[in-house]
Amino acid sequence: MTINDDTQTVELPGGVHWLETCFPMERRHHHISPYLLDGPDGSVLIEAGSMVHQDRLIERIEAHAGPDGIDAAILSHYDLPHVSNARAFRETWEFDLYTSFSGTSANPETLGMGPSTGCMHDETREICGRTFTFPWPPLVDAAHTMWVYDHDAKAMFTGDMGHYHEATDCRTVVDGAEEPVSVDAIRAYNEDALPFVKFLDPEKMRDAFAEIRSEYDIEIWAPVHGNPIVGKGSIEAYHERYAEAIEATRDAAWSGSD
Ligand SMILES: [Zn+2]
Ligand SMILES: [Zn+2]
């Protein structure tokens, strides 16, 4: 079993760098990939990644941002693959921490990550000279989960919505020129990571995706657990497949029951 050890970040539009890291699983791979954003007043990290990838992430961030590392980090929710490196990063660099769970029972300070600033849903803030809003996600696995929308790159960073990828697609950015993410790759991920998906109404999810696209001007759909999708047409097609995957899961779960 080998882990892809390419040391470069993957460049996305608008000063967004994908810190692509993934786990090889038996049949396919699972991304747990933070993103690094260049701001006029410093570098912002979105999500902290998995501990398995800690050294590689530190190396890549320093290669891009210099030995002083990041100036701010934003964490979407308290779940190990999203936060577990925060403590080590703070021992390495000095930066401001923004989270959705400051002041909860999982307060970053209590957990040894040091002081943090709490972000509220729908709030807009300036961080390192970039403007961020924290939308309510249509699909979450923790009540306090927030998504992160970056106004400068028109990028939506989505906590737990995602998909698996094939061993040949670790660093693929899905735009019009690339094969779209398959319904099966979304469905398999959902069934492993978000078991409540079988209870969702695919029509309501379709509406929720359309609503978030009308509320936010989105050019980059940036999952932590999946390849980024670039361009409005590709994002809309991905949302349609996501609804189809939810439908397939629901139909399989309830077929055979009365
Ligand atoms: Zn997650
Ligand atoms: Zn991979």
Side-chain angles (χ1 to χ4, degrees), residues 20 22 29 31 165-167 170:
E20 186 278 317
C22 73
H29 290 195
H31 277 121
H165 61 282
E166 300 294 330
C170 297

Side-chain angles (χ1 to χ4, degrees), residues 59-73:
E59 206 177 298
R60 279 192 201 169
I61 291 167
E62 289 189 347
H64 183 82
D68 292 339
I70 53 172
D71 300 279

Side-chain angles (χ1 to χ4, degrees), residues 87-167:
R87 201 165 153 169
F89 288 173
R90 271 198 146 169
E91 282 161 10
T92 311
W93 312 304
E94 214 173 291
F95 61 91
D96 295 328
L97 182 60
Y98 296 86
T99 80
S100 62
F101 47 92
S102 306
T104 70
S105 57
N107 194 24
E109 192 142 23
T110 319
L111 297 171
M113 296 177 200
S116 66
T117 301
C119 301
M120 303 300 286
H121 285 105
D122 291 339
E123 179 191 10
T124 297
R125 265 181 195 274
E126 200 85 1
I127 297 172
C128 295
R130 290 182 84 113
T131 308
F132 297 94
T133 300
F134 309 104
W136 285 97
L139 191 64
V140 298
D141 73 343
H144 61 263
T145 299
M146 63 183 189
W147 281 1
V148 178
Y149 177 73
D150 167 58
H151 292 257
D152 298 80
K154 302 183 167 68
M156 186 68 80
F157 299 93
T158 67
D160 273 337
M161 249 183 90
H163 53 266
Y164 290 142
H165 61 282
E166 300 294 330

Side-chain angles (χ1 to χ4, degrees), residues 30 32 77 79 81-82 141 159-160 189 193 224-225:
H30 180 187
I32 300 181
H77 66 298
D79 193 4
H82 299 258
D141 73 343
D160 273 337
Y189 166 80
V224 173
H225 301 290

Side-chain angles (χ1 to χ4, degrees), residues 3-11 17-22 36 53-65 170-171:
I3 294 179
N4 173 7
D5 65 355
D6 200 316
T7 54
Q8 298 300 305
T9 60
V10 178
E11 307 308 306
H17 311 274
W18 182 29
L19 294 166
E20 186 278 317
T21 41
C22 73
L36 187 64
H53 301 130
Q54 191 176 97
D55 292 345
R56 185 165 333 130
L57 287 169
I58 290 176
E59 206 177 298
R60 279 192 201 169
I61 291 167
E62 289 189 347
H64 183 82
C170 297
R171 296 167 69 79

